[in-house]
Amino acid sequence: MKVLYFAWLRERLNRASDEITPPSEIVTLNDLVAWLRARDEALDLAMENPAIFKLSINARIVPGDTPIAGATEIAILPPMTGG
Amino acid sequence: MKVLYFAWLRERLNRASDEITPPSEIVTLNDLVAWLRARDEALDLAMENPAIFKLSINARIVPGDTPIAGATEIAILPPMTGG
Amino acid sequence: MILVSKSPFDPGAEANRLQAAHTEAGAMVTFTGLVRSHPDDPITALILECYEDLARNELAAIRDAAMARFGLIDAAIIHRHGRLVPGETIMMVMTLAPHRQAAFDGAQFLMDYLKTDAPFWKQEETAAGLRWVEAKAEDGDAKNRWSR
Amino acid sequence: MILVSKSPFDPGAEANRLQAAHTEAGAMVTFTGLVRSHPDDPITALILECYEDLARNELAAIRDAAMARFGLIDAAIIHRHGRLVPGETIMMVMTLAPHRQAAFDGAQFLMDYLKTDAPFWKQEETAAGLRWVEAKAEDGDAKNRWSR
């Protein structure tokens, strides 16, 4: 499974994505974010205000309690500034 | 002084304008409209709901209590449907 | 710019021209009014009568009011009259502003005032003849929201 | 139409094309977002990062929601990314409706959702380097007005 990072989050991490294999007890997107933060101090710091981020599975924005079963591409999205 | 009529008011009167010389006791636009209606039954009938009409002096919309001193062109304007 | 005329105009070209004239704008809104024909009640044309001198004066006053009230960078109104067929552009307003809400509010303000204070009168031409379009009470309501 | 691309586009030509595709519309609204440079704090460019797959999916969903909610005849969103200089067109939304209020409301709805749910991130390029544009709290507020 791929995790994508964008904008200043990508810059803070010095990479645009990770290839991950989460353990089977990781059920939801929120579980996944907690697991990713626990193993990466830079990500943990960058996400200290987690409510500002949106999350996506397979290129659709979904709530954090969505199960990750079937996910091939996940993204952590800082506040958007399009338009 | 010229009085212009537009749209269905023009059609009801069968003319687009009148050349008038109101007596000196006619001070405001409202006075003038009352005077015009008193001398023209078709206009009187067409304006039986006077509140729907706007009035103009010299091509500017003005309130009915505006004095007509200096007016060269007056218009009686049915509800507008531009846009 | 205020333009009142019987001549057709190109809405896209007018919008591009106004946009190109200003580099400090971040937002532009256009509204275009079109002659529409309802399949269930078709019209062959819309005929607009106009009091041209008054139209130019009132549209200029409405534009000045919108520029000041919403801090617009520029605003323009183009309005045709005469006989127009379905699909033709009747009129257009355009607003340029630093940010989007001012551009939207300015354009809506222009339209709401234009509907009640711009001296145009529409007739629909149908197979059965001509009929005057009645003014809508909601147009007066829409204008009144700006004085609240 | 949803178009997400690095390529420039001609806003006037796009508007004319959409207008010409529909004869039952009485009203069309366009919003155009432009790169602006403030004289007191000039930028040399705006650099937009984009998650293209998500952008296409979310913009299509926002468009479908606006079409249904406001009874639009058509709606389109065009959004560029990459490096744009002051005066360039960043994006455009267009709505076609039978009447004006639906066209205005539809365009504002599209913009309000696009500001918070479309995956674009802006960086300003200045003489001092690059800086990320911060999201505005008011953009979230503007979106929330549609759920009241």
Side-chain angles (χ1 to χ4, degrees):
Chain A
M1 173 186 312
K2 204 169 184 181
V3 186
L4 308 180
Y5 310 108
F6 287 93
W8 52 262
L9 183 62
R10 172 181 53 70
E11 286 190 342
R12 291 272 292 268
L13 300 180
N14 263 312
R15 61 188 186 276
S17 64
D18 279 325
E19 194 60 48
I20 57 163
T21 310
S24 59
E25 65 265 31
I26 303 300
V27 176
T28 68
L29 262 179
N30 285 336
D31 295 344
L32 184 72
V33 168
W35 179 76
L36 289 167
R37 290 180 66 179
R39 42 171 245 161
D40 184 333
E41 199 178 352
L43 181 66
D44 191 47
L45 273 171
M47 292 189 74
E48 68 183 341
N49 187 2
I52 65 172
F53 294 87
K54 298 202 178 193
L55 304 168
S56 70
I57 293 180
N58 300 349
R60 290 306 306 258
I61 294 174
V62 290
D65 57 5
T66 306
I68 60 169
T72 55
E73 185 174 277
I74 278 166
I76 303 178
L77 311 160
M80 301 165 187
T81 54
Chain B
M1 175 185 314
K2 203 168 186 179
V3 187
L4 307 181
Y5 310 108
F6 287 95
W8 51 262
L9 183 63
R10 171 180 55 69
E11 285 190 345
R12 294 271 292 267
L13 301 179
N14 263 314
R15 62 189 187 276
S17 65
D18 279 325
E19 193 63 46
I20 57 164
T21 310
S24 59
E25 65 267 27
I26 303 300
V27 176
T28 69
L29 262 179
N30 286 335
D31 294 345
L32 183 72
V33 168
W35 179 75
L36 287 167
R37 291 180 66 179
R39 40 172 247 161
D40 184 332
E41 198 178 351
L43 181 65
D44 190 46
L45 273 171
M47 292 189 74
E48 67 183 340
N49 186 2
I52 66 171
F53 295 87
K54 297 200 179 196
L55 304 168
S56 70
I57 294 181
N58 300 349
R60 290 305 305 258
I61 295 174
V62 290
D65 58 5
T66 306
I68 59 168
T72 55
E73 185 173 278
I74 278 165
I76 303 177
L77 310 160
M80 301 164 189
T81 55
Chain C
M1 176 190 62
I2 302 294
L3 184 61
V4 176
S5 147
K6 289 198 169 188
S7 305
F9 64 94
D10 178 332
E14 295 292 343
N16 282 353
R17 191 174 2 252
L18 192 72
Q19 179 181 328
H22 300 276
T23 56
E24 63 298 22
M28 178 164 178
V29 168
T30 73
F31 176 91
T32 312
L34 310 163
V35 182
R36 67 189 284 253
S37 184
H38 330 235
D40 49 328
D41 187 15
I43 66 168
T44 51
L46 199 62
I47 297 163
L48 283 99
E49 181 170 334
C50 175
Y51 179 6
E52 281 210 28
D53 289 348
L54 182 64
R56 291 200 184 89
N57 289 340
E58 288 299 321
L59 292 179
I62 292 167
R63 176 183 172 279
D64 290 350
M67 294 276 292
R69 178 165 182 155
F70 301 102
L72 303 179
I73 292 165
D74 205 348
I77 306 173
I78 303 171
H79 207 308
R80 291 181 65 192
H81 56 109
R83 184 176 185 278
L84 285 74
V85 298
E88 277 196 89
T89 303
I90 306 168
M91 51 76 60
M92 185 178 196
V93 307
M94 299 182 266
T95 55
L96 271 167
H99 300 289
R100 84 177 183 286
Q101 199 56 52
F104 270 119
D105 289 347
Q108 288 227 47
F109 176 95
L110 288 175
M111 285 308 302
D112 290 345
Y113 273 79
L114 190 152
K115 282 273 175 185
T116 61
D117 288 14
F120 296 89
W121 296 271
K122 288 182 183 135
Q123 267 182 303
E124 290 177 333
E125 182 190 280
T126 72
L130 294 171
R131 63 184 178 217
W132 290 101
V133 173
E134 281 195 55
K136 290 183 199 143
E138 69 194 50
D139 287 334
D141 297 344
K143 174 183 157 189
N144 288 336
R145 65 183 155 183
W146 300 105
S147 53
R148 278 205 297 266
Chain D
M1 178 190 59
I2 302 294
L3 184 60
V4 176
S5 147
K6 288 198 170 189
S7 306
F9 64 94
D10 178 332
E14 295 292 342
N16 281 353
R17 188 174 4 249
L18 191 73
Q19 180 181 327
H22 300 276
T23 56
E24 66 292 27
M28 178 166 178
V29 168
T30 74
F31 176 91
T32 312
L34 309 163
V35 182
R36 66 189 286 253
S37 184
H38 331 232
D40 48 329
D41 186 14
I43 65 167
T44 51
L46 199 61
I47 296 163
L48 282 99
E49 182 171 330
C50 174
Y51 179 5
E52 281 209 29
D53 289 347
L54 182 63
R56 291 201 183 88
N57 289 340
E58 288 299 322
L59 293 179
I62 292 167
R63 176 183 172 279
D64 290 348
M67 294 277 292
R69 177 165 182 153
F70 301 102
L72 303 179
I73 292 165
D74 205 350
I77 307 173
I78 303 171
H79 207 307
R80 291 181 63 193
H81 55 109
R83 184 176 186 276
L84 286 75
V85 298
E88 276 196 87
T89 303
I90 306 168
M91 51 75 60
M92 184 176 196
V93 307
M94 299 181 266
T95 55
L96 271 168
H99 300 289
R100 83 179 184 285
Q101 199 56 52
F104 270 120
D105 289 346
Q108 288 226 47
F109 175 96
L110 288 175
M111 285 308 301
D112 290 346
Y113 272 79
L114 190 151
K115 282 273 176 186
T116 61
D117 288 13
F120 297 89
W121 296 272
K122 288 182 183 134
Q123 267 182 301
E124 290 177 333
E125 181 190 279
T126 72
L130 294 172
R131 63 185 178 216
W132 290 101
V133 172
E134 281 195 54
K136 290 181 199 146
E138 69 195 52
D139 287 334
D141 297 344
K143 175 185 155 187
N144 288 337
R145 65 181 156 186
W146 300 105
S147 52
R148 277 205 296 267

